[in-house]
Amino acid sequence: MKIVKTFSFDLAHMLDGHDGKCRNLHGHTYKLEVEISGSLAQGGAKDGMVMDFADVKACVKHWVAEPFDHAFVYNRHSERESRLAALLQNWQLKTVAMDKRTTAENMAQHMFCLLRQQGGLNVSAIRLWETPTSYCEYTGANHD
Ligand SMILES: [Zn+2]
């Protein structure tokens, strides 16, 4: 059985070195779908559930939706993005560092790992919508 819960948050990023307009600082309203697989609990308070939607919500909010919302998400290996992040941090503004370029694909992979490893969620897929017509899906299989 699979359950899916959807979240939404806004963030700013830039793709340093991109050959188009995404090299500029800009933002998106992302939609995140978190899919969790498992068998149904038997008995007790969670009888008949893969996982309580309220518990999914609390975990995803804590590890992803709240930290990323209205943050500048940047690639710590990009000098220009890191300099911009340092400026914002000096002003006590919100930033999130990643180890890779902040494409939707890399962010989906990063969020998948955060939720599985830090959040302990049995995530089977992440779908990250960058625009209403563009999304990527990451399932952890072979890390591609
Ligand atoms: Zn973008």
Side-chain angles (χ1 to χ4, degrees):
M1 186 75 81
K2 292 174 180 173
I3 62 169
V4 178
K5 193 156 179 68
T6 302
F7 301 83
S8 179
F9 44 84
D10 304 313
L11 63 82
H13 78 150
M14 59 187 280
L15 298 180
D16 188 21
H18 186 254
D19 55 0
K21 62 183 182 179
C22 292
R23 67 200 291 179
N24 295 292
L25 178 61
H26 66 281
H28 302 277
T29 297
Y30 288 85
K31 186 172 93 174
L32 174 69
E33 295 180 35
V34 178
E35 179 191 284
I36 293 166
S37 298
S39 49
L40 301 184
Q42 305 282 327
K46 310 299 183 188
D47 182 44
M49 297 179 177
V50 171
M51 190 175 170
D52 194 324
F53 281 115
D55 295 336
V56 179
K57 181 180 177 181
C59 184
V60 176
K61 276 192 130 180
H62 180 79
W63 291 105
V64 174
E66 283 175 353
F68 281 78
D69 188 39
H70 284 73
F72 172 56
V73 182
Y74 68 102
N75 175 5
R76 69 169 94 243
H77 301 298
S78 155
E79 191 197 333
R80 297 210 294 181
E81 293 182 32
S82 296
R83 286 173 64 185
L84 182 52
L87 179 67
L88 296 171
Q89 288 155 8
N90 279 339
W91 291 339
Q92 281 78 50
L93 297 178
K94 202 170 167 184
T95 62
V96 172
M98 289 201 0
D99 286 323
K100 291 179 178 175
R101 210 179 192 200
T102 58
T103 59
E105 294 90 330
N106 286 339
M107 273 198 258
Q109 193 173 23
H110 182 69
M111 291 169 182
F112 184 96
C113 294
L114 272 176
L115 293 174
R116 277 189 80 100
Q117 291 163 15
Q118 308 294 320
L121 280 187
N122 190 28
V123 182
S124 49
I126 288 279
R127 284 177 284 278
L128 185 64
W129 293 75
E130 190 172 72
T131 73
T133 56
S134 313
Y135 79 92
C136 69
E137 180 178 85
Y138 182 66
T139 61
N142 302 319
H143 293 281
D144 57 19

